[in-house]
Amino acid sequence: MQSDIFAKRKKDSLIFFSLLIVVTVGSVVITQYDVSKGFTSLLKAFIWGGSNFYPDGKSLTILPDVLRKLWDTILMSIAATTVATVFATLLALVGSRTTRMNRVFSLVARGIASLFRNIPLVAWAMVLMLAFSQSSITGYLALFLGSFGFLSRAFIETIDEVSNDSVEALSATGASYSHIIFQSVLPSSLPQMISWILFMIDTNIRDATLVGLLTGTGIGFSFDLYYKSFNFHAASLVVILIVITVILIEMVSNTIRRVIM
Amino acid sequence: MKLELGVNREFCEPLLELKHVTKYYHGAAPALEDINFSVAEGEFISVIGPSGAGKSTLLRCINRMIEATSGEISFDGVLISKLKKRDLRKLRTRIGMIFQHYNLVDKLSVIENVLHGRLGYKSTLAGVMGRYSPEEKQQAMRIIDLLGLHDQVYKRCDQLSGGQKQRVGIARALIQDPKLILCDEPIASLDPNSAKIIMDHLRDVSAQMGITVIVNLHQVSAALKYSDRIIGVNQGKIVFDGSPSALTAEKIAEIYGSESNDLMVELGERYAI
Ligand SMILES: Nc1ncnc2c1ncn2[C@@H]1O[C@H](COP(=O)(O)OP(=O)(O)OP(=O)(O)O)[C@@H](O)[C@H]1O
Ligand SMILES: [Mg+2]
């Protein structure tokens, strides 16, 4: 019996890797992508980057402007996340099996969460651009809707797994629904929820750059501007600042996480 | 005092009375079938039976954590089955409940978990904000002392041992000022030593505070040692209802069916404990 299992594992991995090779070779052939050329041009790109893509003294004059844009981007990401948190929490309370008041509403809430969760941010940005054209509202709403979907899903799962038993105990003491939410569900889920919120702020700052490219706002727009006007030194300064910001934010959120968990 | 209660049992209105209580889940076989019994104030009752017999269901039908399919349950002169949501909450404040897995809010401290037992008496706002009166806090401290948890008052509950967690569970039930405490396998996850401490506390609760206790147990030996009365359940029906001394080997065999052989070994401890 035992050897059968090992034989089966071996067979499974063999099939998996053969499929992987077929798919890879297939797509290379179909797209006529030249693998060796791909790698050599990557190398060339690095060499070009090394000789052009670095901030020089002159590019530092744009520093105040870029920093302000960066600051705006951070604030926008945080605002999108916090507002999304409020709505996501409400949806999660309706959707979670532990806290739902009604089976049908719960199903609808879970449906909404799954739907929003599966629409990529860029798709939101494109759709919203039809309504609001290229503006910072578009960027903000795109981040908000993306965060809302992600956080709803994450919160529903958190509440589902975290607070079942104590909810039963509190309803047996005669506590009301709102008592149970505030005295049991939220205290139990809060550390996990805060962790998700920090992750979301983190992600939103990265994504805001991308969305900015599309919507012509924020730090993404600065990059686009300098890049297209061949001011590579300035563009590289923008990139470096974004990377530093992302690393800093990540460090801060990791510290907060350590404290609350 | 005990004796007096025993004599009065026939004349007093019973504290709890179940009439023809039946519970169907989805399946064809009922989880409870035509359950009838009444409980006098101050009694210590153990409910025993094999796994899946319906003990947890029976206990939860009493405070309507599970809705019985049919039958009548009255508690302290009130017909529970008919109560609206708000009145049901009010009634539940007088019935404490203790669980196998303690069911505490692990992220909160001992004192906060104990005070949760007061939520049923609170307005929405006071409960949401967790505002408790000085008297309630003093009472919580007294109960915590009584259960030997004074060194743990401000500890988070996920830092406690199983036995300590269960004592917090008892404290949370006691601060409700209950007339009845329902315990669903309170010692099933505990080592023998902690289990004895918990059972002793439950006996004190019953004997000294006059609170009625109904406890589901896996261990026949504990049921024999602690209860005034034992109810044996098998496949949703009561097959034994009497004093521990009336629980003969044949009765145990009847309650546990095919599982009973293993139990006979355990019963060697009957007079050992
Ligand atoms: N939520 C539920 N949905 C469907 N069936 C259930 C549910 N809860 C319990 N049952 C069934 O009802 C019967 C009685 O279950 P119950 O949990 O009351 O037994 P128990 O005596 O407490 O068992 P144990 O000693 O294992 O805790 C079992 O057959 C069980 O499968
Ligand atoms: Mg059970």
Side-chain angles (χ1 to χ4, degrees):
Chain A
M1 262 347 246
Q2 284 245 316
S3 63
D4 268 355
I5 286 190
F6 290 121
K8 189 174 173 307
R9 290 259 182 289
K10 216 169 182 175
K11 205 180 88 203
D12 285 353
S13 9
L14 209 67
I15 293 176
F16 177 74
F17 282 110
S18 326
L19 271 176
L20 198 66
I21 290 170
V22 168
V23 170
T24 312
V25 171
S27 39
V28 165
V29 169
I30 290 170
T31 58
Q32 299 181 322
Y33 170 70
D34 185 339
V35 179
S36 61
K37 202 169 145 214
F39 278 111
T40 45
S41 48
L42 195 63
L43 190 70
K44 267 189 219 151
F46 274 121
I47 294 172
W48 178 87
S51 50
N52 292 292
F53 207 68
Y54 58 87
D56 60 2
K58 202 171 107 238
S59 68
L60 286 181
T61 53
I62 63 156
L63 196 60
D65 180 52
V66 173
L67 281 179
R68 216 199 63 238
K69 284 252 170 57
L70 204 57
W71 182 239
D72 287 348
T73 305
I74 294 174
L75 288 186
M76 182 157 113
S77 308
I78 293 178
T81 312
T82 47
V83 177
T85 299
V86 173
F87 287 91
T89 308
L90 292 178
L91 193 76
L93 288 175
V94 177
S96 162
R97 265 181 268 279
T98 349
T99 53
R100 70 180 175 199
M101 296 201 209
N102 179 306
R103 223 173 252 270
V104 180
F105 288 170
S106 154
L107 223 62
V108 173
R110 279 170 178 268
I112 293 175
S114 296
L115 182 72
F116 274 60
R117 170 88 175 81
N118 286 311
I119 299 177
L121 189 67
V122 176
W124 278 125
M126 287 171 173
V127 171
L128 288 164
M129 264 201 292
L130 298 179
F132 299 100
S133 73
Q134 285 197 321
S135 70
S136 49
I137 299 264
T138 312
Y140 174 78
L141 282 180
L143 287 179
F144 165 74
L145 289 171
S147 316
F148 171 68
F150 183 89
L151 290 178
S152 304
R153 211 53 242 146
F155 287 179
I156 285 178
E157 268 154 36
T158 305
I159 295 177
D160 268 354
E161 82 194 32
V162 135
S163 44
N164 228 336
D165 288 350
S166 56
V167 167
E168 183 189 23
L170 288 209
S171 31
T173 68
S176 71
Y177 182 77
S178 50
H179 294 164
I180 294 172
I181 299 296
F182 280 89
Q183 294 298 328
S184 159
V185 176
L186 290 182
S188 309
S189 340
L190 219 51
Q192 190 62 47
M193 282 166 78
I194 291 176
S195 181
W196 283 123
I197 293 168
L198 291 172
F199 171 79
M200 202 68 241
I201 291 177
D202 225 1
T203 317
N204 274 348
I205 288 173
R206 292 158 209 241
D207 289 349
T209 318
L210 211 64
V211 171
L213 277 177
L214 270 172
T215 60
T217 51
I219 194 77
F221 178 63
S222 302
F223 174 81
D224 207 28
L225 200 69
Y226 296 126
Y227 182 76
K228 284 190 176 142
S229 56
F230 303 105
N231 189 349
F232 297 126
H233 296 304
S236 70
L237 182 71
V238 173
V239 171
I240 289 172
L241 286 175
I242 291 174
V243 171
I244 292 176
T245 311
V246 167
I247 291 175
L248 279 180
I249 295 281
E250 171 133 358
M251 271 158 56
V252 170
S253 52
N254 278 342
T255 314
I256 299 178
R257 244 180 229 126
R258 252 201 312 283
V259 173
I260 57 164
M261 284 305 237
Chain B
M1 165 112 181
K2 264 268 155 75
L3 211 74
E4 213 173 66
L5 282 170
V7 173
N8 282 342
R9 198 188 286 182
E10 310 302 321
F11 308 104
C12 281
E13 177 112 323
L15 178 70
L16 176 71
E17 191 164 24
L18 282 79
K19 283 186 195 156
H20 310 297
V21 172
T22 298
K23 170 69 187 178
Y24 281 89
Y25 289 107
H26 323 290
L32 293 178
E33 191 176 359
D34 195 25
I35 298 285
N36 296 282
F37 67 91
S38 56
V39 179
E41 206 159 335
E43 271 190 298
F44 191 116
I45 299 182
S46 295
V47 179
I48 59 174
S51 187
K55 303 182 295 292
S56 300
T57 308
L58 173 60
L59 215 61
R60 282 173 174 73
C61 282
I62 294 175
N63 59 358
R64 275 180 59 190
M65 294 302 289
I66 292 176
E67 297 284 350
T69 311
S70 63
E72 278 185 1
I73 302 173
S74 52
F75 172 78
D76 207 14
V78 180
L79 202 58
I80 296 187
S81 356
K82 293 275 173 352
L83 291 180
K84 295 255 165 37
K85 211 168 167 187
R86 172 178 284 266
D87 294 322
L88 175 63
R89 275 188 51 208
K90 215 166 97 193
L91 179 120
R92 280 181 181 164
T93 60
R94 309 313 303 273
I95 304 180
M97 193 159 193
I98 291 165
F99 306 83
Q100 177 181 352
H101 298 114
Y102 328 120
N103 297 18
L104 306 175
V105 182
D106 277 341
K107 296 261 162 25
L108 297 181
S109 64
V110 168
I111 180 94
E112 286 168 297
N113 269 286
V114 172
L115 283 165
H116 280 166
R118 296 303 298 176
L119 286 174
Y121 294 98
K122 299 227 162 275
S123 70
T124 301
L125 190 65
V128 162
M129 309 281 292
R131 271 208 299 263
Y132 302 97
S133 71
E135 294 78 43
E136 284 173 323
K137 287 178 191 160
Q138 279 161 16
Q139 176 70 355
M141 284 301 191
R142 265 200 299 277
I143 293 173
I144 287 171
D145 275 351
L146 198 71
L147 292 165
L149 289 167
H150 30 264
D151 295 333
Q152 272 77 34
V153 180
Y154 300 109
K155 257 200 194 157
R156 256 168 58 154
C157 284
D158 49 11
Q159 295 168 356
L160 302 181
S161 72
Q164 290 170 330
K165 284 185 188 178
Q166 195 57 291
R167 280 184 272 159
V168 177
I170 296 178
R172 178 175 62 191
L174 284 181
I175 204 171
Q176 287 178 241
D177 190 16
K179 288 196 131 179
L180 169 67
I181 295 186
L182 306 170
C183 315
D184 194 10
E185 315 238 5
I187 55 172
S189 314
L190 298 177
D191 63 273
N193 201 19
S194 316
K196 183 176 180 307
I197 294 174
I198 294 299
M199 287 309 293
D200 286 347
H201 277 303
L202 288 177
R203 180 171 54 195
D204 293 347
V205 161
S206 157
Q208 286 161 24
M209 306 183 190
I211 297 171
T212 310
V213 175
I214 303 180
V215 49
N216 285 353
L217 285 174
H218 252 109
Q219 300 87 335
V220 179
S221 53
L224 288 169
K225 183 182 171 197
Y226 288 95
S227 11
D228 303 328
R229 176 178 163 197
I230 295 176
I231 292 178
V233 183
N234 186 314
Q235 296 191 357
K237 292 202 223 27
I238 292 184
V239 293
F240 176 85
D241 184 350
S243 69
S245 55
L247 190 68
T248 57
E250 295 87 71
K251 290 290 179 193
I252 292 176
E254 197 183 334
I255 295 169
Y256 283 92
S258 55
E259 278 183 36
S260 58
N261 285 339
D262 306 337
L263 275 164
M264 289 309 156
V265 180
E266 187 197 337
L267 277 186
E269 303 160 26
R270 178 167 184 162
Y271 304 101
I273 294 190

